[in-house]
Tab-separated table of all heavy atoms in Angstrom:
chain	number	residue	atom	x	y	z
C	1	ILE	N	26.380	-56.478	-148.111
C	1	ILE	CA	25.357	-56.700	-147.076
C	1	ILE	C	25.766	-57.869	-146.179
C	1	ILE	O	25.670	-57.779	-144.953
C	1	ILE	CB	23.969	-56.950	-147.719
C	1	ILE	CG1	23.454	-55.668	-148.374
C	1	ILE	CG2	22.974	-57.472	-146.679
C	1	ILE	CD1	22.221	-55.869	-149.238
C	2	ILE	N	26.220	-58.948	-146.791
C	2	ILE	CA	26.640	-60.123	-146.011
C	2	ILE	C	27.808	-59.760	-145.104
C	2	ILE	O	27.825	-60.131	-143.922
C	2	ILE	CB	27.012	-61.302	-146.952
C	2	ILE	CG1	25.751	-61.848	-147.629
C	2	ILE	CG2	27.751	-62.397	-146.185
C	2	ILE	CD1	26.034	-62.810	-148.775
C	3	GLU	N	28.768	-59.017	-145.632
C	3	GLU	CA	29.928	-58.611	-144.828
C	3	GLU	C	29.501	-57.719	-143.665
C	3	GLU	O	29.911	-57.928	-142.513
C	3	GLU	CB	30.948	-57.877	-145.695
C	3	GLU	CG	32.187	-57.454	-144.927
C	3	GLU	CD	33.188	-56.702	-145.776
C	3	GLU	OE1	32.885	-56.375	-146.946
C	3	GLU	OE2	34.278	-56.423	-145.253
C	4	GLU	N	28.644	-56.746	-143.937
C	4	GLU	CA	28.173	-55.822	-142.906
C	4	GLU	C	27.411	-56.561	-141.807
C	4	GLU	O	27.634	-56.328	-140.611
C	4	GLU	CB	27.278	-54.760	-143.548
C	4	GLU	CG	26.866	-53.655	-142.612
C	4	GLU	CD	26.039	-52.606	-143.338
C	4	GLU	OE1	26.487	-52.107	-144.393
C	4	GLU	OE2	24.942	-52.299	-142.837
C	5	GLU	N	26.530	-57.463	-142.194
C	5	GLU	CA	25.746	-58.219	-141.209
C	5	GLU	C	26.624	-59.193	-140.438
C	5	GLU	O	26.406	-59.409	-139.239
C	5	GLU	CB	24.585	-58.951	-141.885
C	5	GLU	CG	23.475	-58.015	-142.324
C	5	GLU	CD	22.902	-57.206	-141.166
C	5	GLU	OE1	22.462	-57.801	-140.161
C	5	GLU	OE2	22.903	-55.972	-141.269
C	6	SER	N	27.621	-59.778	-141.084
C	6	SER	CA	28.554	-60.677	-140.392
C	6	SER	C	29.332	-59.917	-139.323
C	6	SER	O	29.512	-60.413	-138.206
C	6	SER	CB	29.537	-61.317	-141.375
C	6	SER	OG	28.853	-62.132	-142.288
C	7	LEU	N	29.785	-58.710	-139.646
C	7	LEU	CA	30.502	-57.884	-138.671
C	7	LEU	C	29.586	-57.491	-137.519
C	7	LEU	O	29.999	-57.497	-136.355
C	7	LEU	CB	31.076	-56.640	-139.347
C	7	LEU	CG	32.230	-56.873	-140.317
C	7	LEU	CD1	32.567	-55.591	-141.079
C	7	LEU	CD2	33.449	-57.401	-139.577
C	8	ARG	N	28.343	-57.171	-137.824
C	8	ARG	CA	27.378	-56.812	-136.780
C	8	ARG	C	27.123	-57.986	-135.849
C	8	ARG	O	27.127	-57.846	-134.624
C	8	ARG	CB	26.067	-56.337	-137.421
C	8	ARG	CG	25.057	-55.769	-136.422
C	8	ARG	CD	23.735	-55.418	-137.105
C	8	ARG	NE	23.053	-56.573	-137.656
C	8	ARG	CZ	22.349	-57.441	-136.936
C	8	ARG	NH1	22.227	-57.285	-135.648
C	8	ARG	NH2	21.762	-58.469	-137.514
C	9	LEU	N	26.920	-59.174	-136.409
C	9	LEU	CA	26.681	-60.367	-135.590
C	9	LEU	C	27.914	-60.735	-134.766
C	9	LEU	O	27.799	-61.148	-133.608
C	9	LEU	CB	26.253	-61.545	-136.472
C	9	LEU	CG	24.849	-61.452	-137.053
C	9	LEU	CD1	24.613	-62.572	-138.069
C	9	LEU	CD2	23.809	-61.502	-135.953
C	10	SER	N	29.075	-60.571	-135.350
C	10	SER	CA	30.318	-60.840	-134.625
C	10	SER	C	30.460	-59.896	-133.434
C	10	SER	O	30.804	-60.319	-132.324
C	10	SER	CB	31.511	-60.685	-135.566
C	10	SER	OG	32.718	-60.781	-134.856
C	11	ALA	N	30.171	-58.611	-133.647
C	11	ALA	CA	30.247	-57.619	-132.560
C	11	ALA	C	29.225	-57.945	-131.477
C	11	ALA	O	29.521	-57.846	-130.281
C	11	ALA	CB	30.026	-56.219	-133.112
C	12	MET	N	28.040	-58.359	-131.889
C	12	MET	CA	27.000	-58.699	-130.927
C	12	MET	C	27.409	-59.913	-130.094
C	12	MET	O	27.253	-59.928	-128.868
C	12	MET	CB	25.680	-58.967	-131.636
C	12	MET	CG	24.529	-59.187	-130.700
C	12	MET	SD	23.009	-59.117	-131.659
C	12	MET	CE	21.964	-60.167	-130.716
C	13	ALA	N	27.953	-60.935	-130.739
C	13	ALA	CA	28.396	-62.132	-130.018
C	13	ALA	C	29.508	-61.779	-129.031
C	13	ALA	O	29.500	-62.248	-127.883
C	13	ALA	CB	28.874	-63.194	-131.003
C	14	THR	N	30.430	-60.938	-129.442
C	14	THR	CA	31.510	-60.494	-128.554
C	14	THR	C	30.945	-59.750	-127.358
C	14	THR	O	31.369	-59.979	-126.215
C	14	THR	CB	32.503	-59.597	-129.327
C	14	THR	OG1	33.051	-60.358	-130.411
C	14	THR	CG2	33.623	-59.104	-128.426
C	15	ASN	N	29.991	-58.867	-127.597
C	15	ASN	CA	29.372	-58.123	-126.499
C	15	ASN	C	28.632	-59.041	-125.528
C	15	ASN	O	28.695	-58.846	-124.317
C	15	ASN	CB	28.425	-57.043	-127.033
C	15	ASN	CG	29.166	-55.818	-127.496
C	15	ASN	OD1	30.290	-55.569	-127.082
C	15	ASN	ND2	28.538	-55.044	-128.349
C	16	VAL	N	27.919	-60.023	-126.050
C	16	VAL	CA	27.203	-60.966	-125.186
C	16	VAL	C	28.208	-61.753	-124.336
C	16	VAL	O	28.004	-61.941	-123.131
C	16	VAL	CB	26.299	-61.912	-126.008
C	16	VAL	CG1	25.764	-63.051	-125.151
C	16	VAL	CG2	25.151	-61.135	-126.628
C	17	LEU	N	29.306	-62.182	-124.948
C	17	LEU	CA	30.335	-62.904	-124.193
C	17	LEU	C	30.956	-62.004	-123.125
C	17	LEU	O	31.186	-62.438	-121.991
C	17	LEU	CB	31.413	-63.440	-125.139
C	17	LEU	CG	30.999	-64.603	-126.028
C	17	LEU	CD1	32.083	-64.908	-127.052
C	17	LEU	CD2	30.683	-65.838	-125.197
C	18	ASN	N	31.234	-60.749	-123.469
C	18	ASN	CA	31.787	-59.805	-122.494
C	18	ASN	C	30.829	-59.582	-121.339
C	18	ASN	O	31.230	-59.542	-120.181
C	18	ASN	CB	32.121	-58.461	-123.151
C	18	ASN	CG	33.363	-58.525	-124.002
C	18	ASN	OD1	34.194	-59.405	-123.844
C	18	ASN	ND2	33.494	-57.577	-124.919
C	19	LEU	N	29.553	-59.431	-121.650
C	19	LEU	CA	28.551	-59.218	-120.609
C	19	LEU	C	28.475	-60.436	-119.692
C	19	LEU	O	28.456	-60.302	-118.464
C	19	LEU	CB	27.179	-58.925	-121.227
C	19	LEU	CG	26.037	-58.718	-120.231
C	19	LEU	CD1	26.314	-57.550	-119.296
C	19	LEU	CD2	24.731	-58.495	-120.978
C	20	THR	N	28.445	-61.621	-120.266
C	20	THR	CA	28.388	-62.847	-119.470
C	20	THR	C	29.606	-62.958	-118.564
C	20	THR	O	29.488	-63.297	-117.381
C	20	THR	CB	28.288	-64.083	-120.391
C	20	THR	OG1	27.129	-63.948	-121.213
C	20	THR	CG2	28.201	-65.366	-119.593
C	21	LYS	N	30.762	-62.639	-119.104
C	21	LYS	CA	32.007	-62.688	-118.316
C	21	LYS	C	31.934	-61.721	-117.138
C	21	LYS	O	32.249	-62.085	-116.005
C	21	LYS	CB	33.199	-62.342	-119.215
C	21	LYS	CG	34.520	-62.343	-118.506
C	21	LYS	CD	35.646	-61.950	-119.450
C	21	LYS	CE	36.932	-61.749	-118.689
C	21	LYS	NZ	37.993	-61.220	-119.531
C	22	VAL	N	31.503	-60.503	-117.385
C	22	VAL	CA	31.433	-59.485	-116.331
C	22	VAL	C	30.356	-59.848	-115.308
C	22	VAL	O	30.553	-59.691	-114.107
C	22	VAL	CB	31.185	-58.082	-116.926
C	22	VAL	CG1	30.948	-57.060	-115.840
C	22	VAL	CG2	32.366	-57.655	-117.783
C	23	GLU	N	29.213	-60.347	-115.782
C	23	GLU	CA	28.128	-60.732	-114.873
C	23	GLU	C	28.557	-61.849	-113.921
C	23	GLU	O	28.113	-61.898	-112.779
C	23	GLU	CB	26.901	-61.202	-115.658
C	23	GLU	CG	26.079	-60.094	-116.247
C	23	GLU	CD	24.898	-60.625	-117.039
C	23	GLU	OE1	24.983	-61.721	-117.637
C	23	GLU	OE2	23.882	-59.927	-117.072
C	24	ASN	N	29.393	-62.741	-114.401
C	24	ASN	CA	29.810	-63.887	-113.593
C	24	ASN	C	31.046	-63.606	-112.739
C	24	ASN	O	31.455	-64.450	-111.956
C	24	ASN	CB	30.064	-65.107	-114.489
C	24	ASN	CG	28.776	-65.638	-115.069
C	24	ASN	OD1	27.756	-65.679	-114.396
C	24	ASN	ND2	28.812	-66.016	-116.339
C	25	GLN	N	31.615	-62.431	-112.903
C	25	GLN	CA	32.799	-62.074	-112.117
C	25	GLN	C	32.349	-61.456	-110.797
C	25	GLN	O	31.552	-60.517	-110.779
C	25	GLN	CB	33.662	-61.087	-112.914
C	25	GLN	CG	35.004	-60.844	-112.301
C	25	GLN	CD	35.922	-60.079	-113.241
C	25	GLN	OE1	35.651	-59.959	-114.439
C	25	GLN	NE2	37.007	-59.569	-112.700
C	26	THR	N	32.843	-62.000	-109.702
C	26	THR	CA	32.461	-61.480	-108.387
C	26	THR	C	33.610	-60.763	-107.691
C	26	THR	O	33.385	-59.995	-106.770
C	26	THR	CB	31.957	-62.618	-107.477
C	26	THR	OG1	32.970	-63.625	-107.395
C	26	THR	CG2	30.658	-63.209	-108.004
C	27	ILE	N	34.823	-61.041	-108.133
C	27	ILE	CA	36.000	-60.407	-107.537
C	27	ILE	C	36.691	-59.584	-108.613
C	27	ILE	O	36.935	-60.060	-109.723
C	27	ILE	CB	36.974	-61.462	-106.980
C	27	ILE	CG1	36.293	-62.266	-105.868
C	27	ILE	CG2	38.250	-60.814	-106.463
C	27	ILE	CD1	37.077	-63.466	-105.407
C	28	LEU	N	37.003	-58.353	-108.264
C	28	LEU	CA	37.698	-57.468	-109.193
C	28	LEU	C	39.176	-57.849	-109.233
C	28	LEU	O	39.849	-57.876	-108.205
C	28	LEU	CB	37.524	-56.018	-108.744
C	28	LEU	CG	37.947	-54.941	-109.720
C	28	LEU	CD1	37.186	-55.062	-111.037
C	28	LEU	CD2	37.708	-53.573	-109.115
C	29	THR	N	39.670	-58.182	-110.411
C	29	THR	CA	41.068	-58.597	-110.573
C	29	THR	C	41.833	-57.547	-111.366
C	29	THR	O	41.253	-56.616	-111.921
C	29	THR	CB	41.145	-59.954	-111.307
C	29	THR	OG1	40.499	-59.818	-112.586
C	29	THR	CG2	40.474	-61.053	-110.508
C	30	ASP	N	43.144	-57.725	-111.444
C	30	ASP	CA	44.035	-56.853	-112.217
C	30	ASP	C	43.866	-55.384	-111.840
C	30	ASP	O	43.838	-54.503	-112.708
C	30	ASP	CB	43.818	-57.037	-113.729
C	30	ASP	CG	44.102	-58.454	-114.185
C	30	ASP	OD1	45.036	-59.078	-113.633
C	30	ASP	OD2	43.387	-58.948	-115.072
C	31	VAL	N	43.755	-55.124	-110.558
C	31	VAL	CA	43.578	-53.758	-110.065
C	31	VAL	C	44.949	-53.109	-109.922
C	31	VAL	O	45.880	-53.710	-109.390
C	31	VAL	CB	42.844	-53.766	-108.700
C	31	VAL	CG1	42.787	-52.385	-108.097
C	31	VAL	CG2	41.449	-54.335	-108.872
C	32	LYS	N	45.069	-51.890	-110.440
C	32	LYS	CA	46.305	-51.132	-110.301
C	32	LYS	C	45.988	-49.650	-110.308
C	32	LYS	O	44.900	-49.237	-110.712
C	32	LYS	CB	47.293	-51.492	-111.404
C	32	LYS	CG	46.859	-51.094	-112.802
C	32	LYS	CD	47.920	-51.481	-113.810
C	32	LYS	CE	47.556	-50.996	-115.196
C	32	LYS	NZ	48.588	-51.267	-116.176
C	33	ASN	N	46.945	-48.859	-109.889
C	33	ASN	CA	46.789	-47.411	-109.904
C	33	ASN	C	47.265	-46.909	-111.261
C	33	ASN	O	48.355	-47.284	-111.715
C	33	ASN	CB	47.596	-46.780	-108.766
C	33	ASN	CG	47.253	-45.319	-108.605
C	33	ASN	OD1	47.792	-44.473	-109.314
C	33	ASN	ND2	46.366	-45.019	-107.687
C	34	TYR	N	46.451	-46.098	-111.907
C	34	TYR	CA	46.832	-45.571	-113.222
C	34	TYR	C	46.202	-44.201	-113.447
C	34	TYR	O	45.334	-43.762	-112.694
C	34	TYR	CB	46.452	-46.552	-114.343
C	34	TYR	CG	44.972	-46.689	-114.571
C	34	TYR	CD1	44.316	-45.902	-115.524
C	34	TYR	CD2	44.205	-47.599	-113.843
C	34	TYR	CE1	42.962	-46.023	-115.735
C	34	TYR	CE2	42.845	-47.723	-114.055
C	34	TYR	CZ	42.231	-46.933	-114.995
C	34	TYR	OH	40.878	-47.053	-115.212
C	35	ASN	N	46.623	-43.544	-114.525
C	35	ASN	CA	46.159	-42.194	-114.862
C	35	ASN	C	44.824	-42.290	-115.601
C	35	ASN	O	44.778	-42.607	-116.792
C	35	ASN	CB	47.211	-41.481	-115.709
C	35	ASN	CG	46.893	-40.025	-115.941
C	35	ASN	OD1	45.732	-39.629	-116.031
C	35	ASN	ND2	47.935	-39.217	-116.062
C	36	LEU	N	43.756	-41.999	-114.883
C	36	LEU	CA	42.401	-42.029	-115.437
C	36	LEU	C	42.225	-40.982	-116.540
C	36	LEU	O	41.604	-41.254	-117.573
C	36	LEU	CB	41.383	-41.800	-114.316
C	36	LEU	CG	39.915	-41.691	-114.708
C	36	LEU	CD1	39.419	-42.995	-115.307
C	36	LEU	CD2	39.085	-41.317	-113.486
C	37	SER	N	42.781	-39.819	-116.332
C	37	SER	CA	42.653	-38.739	-117.325
C	37	SER	C	43.287	-39.133	-118.653
C	37	SER	O	42.716	-38.894	-119.717
C	37	SER	CB	43.306	-37.467	-116.790
C	37	SER	OG	42.715	-37.092	-115.572
C	38	GLU	N	44.462	-39.760	-118.580
C	38	GLU	CA	45.137	-40.205	-119.801
C	38	GLU	C	44.302	-41.271	-120.509
C	38	GLU	O	44.202	-41.286	-121.738
C	38	GLU	CB	46.527	-40.744	-119.463
C	38	GLU	CG	47.334	-41.131	-120.673
C	38	GLU	CD	47.592	-39.991	-121.642
C	38	GLU	OE1	47.716	-38.825	-121.220
C	38	GLU	OE2	47.655	-40.266	-122.864
C	39	GLN	N	43.678	-42.146	-119.735
C	39	GLN	CA	42.838	-43.189	-120.322
C	39	GLN	C	41.650	-42.582	-121.066
C	39	GLN	O	41.331	-42.990	-122.184
C	39	GLN	CB	42.343	-44.137	-119.227
C	39	GLN	CG	41.508	-45.279	-119.778
C	39	GLN	CD	41.018	-46.187	-118.677
C	39	GLN	OE1	40.456	-45.738	-117.678
C	39	GLN	NE2	41.231	-47.487	-118.858
C	40	ILE	N	41.016	-41.599	-120.471
C	40	ILE	CA	39.862	-40.961	-121.116
C	40	ILE	C	40.304	-40.222	-122.381
C	40	ILE	O	39.640	-40.318	-123.427
C	40	ILE	CB	39.132	-40.034	-120.122
C	40	ILE	CG1	38.467	-40.880	-119.027
C	40	ILE	CG2	38.096	-39.167	-120.845
C	40	ILE	CD1	37.899	-40.095	-117.868
C	41	ARG	N	41.432	-39.521	-122.318
C	41	ARG	CA	41.953	-38.839	-123.525
C	41	ARG	C	42.235	-39.852	-124.633
C	41	ARG	O	41.932	-39.616	-125.808
C	41	ARG	CB	43.208	-38.028	-123.190
C	41	ARG	CG	42.935	-36.747	-122.439
C	41	ARG	CD	44.177	-35.855	-122.354
C	41	ARG	NE	45.229	-36.447	-121.548
C	41	ARG	CZ	45.406	-36.233	-120.243
C	41	ARG	NH1	44.592	-35.447	-119.583
C	41	ARG	NH2	46.414	-36.814	-119.604
C	42	SER	N	42.801	-40.988	-124.273
C	42	SER	CA	43.100	-42.042	-125.248
C	42	SER	C	41.815	-42.571	-125.896
C	42	SER	O	41.764	-42.787	-127.105
C	42	SER	CB	43.848	-43.179	-124.542
C	42	SER	OG	43.998	-44.276	-125.381
C	43	CYS	N	40.766	-42.750	-125.098
C	43	CYS	CA	39.478	-43.220	-125.636
C	43	CYS	C	38.887	-42.197	-126.603
C	43	CYS	O	38.337	-42.568	-127.647
C	43	CYS	CB	38.502	-43.499	-124.498
C	43	CYS	SG	38.948	-44.931	-123.494
C	44	ILE	N	39.025	-40.936	-126.265
C	44	ILE	CA	38.527	-39.869	-127.152
C	44	ILE	C	39.262	-39.925	-128.487
C	44	ILE	O	38.647	-39.820	-129.552
C	44	ILE	CB	38.669	-38.490	-126.476
C	44	ILE	CG1	37.681	-38.380	-125.312
C	44	ILE	CG2	38.468	-37.360	-127.480
C	44	ILE	CD1	37.920	-37.206	-124.382
């Protein structure tokens, strides 16, 4: 239970940090042309 809850809290903290980072970003960086279809297949 402790391990499961620790992993859940860790994931939540990471998500909150990611959200804060994205919310505070006003300029899109690291833009490049890439294969969107391959990316979606990889995620699947």
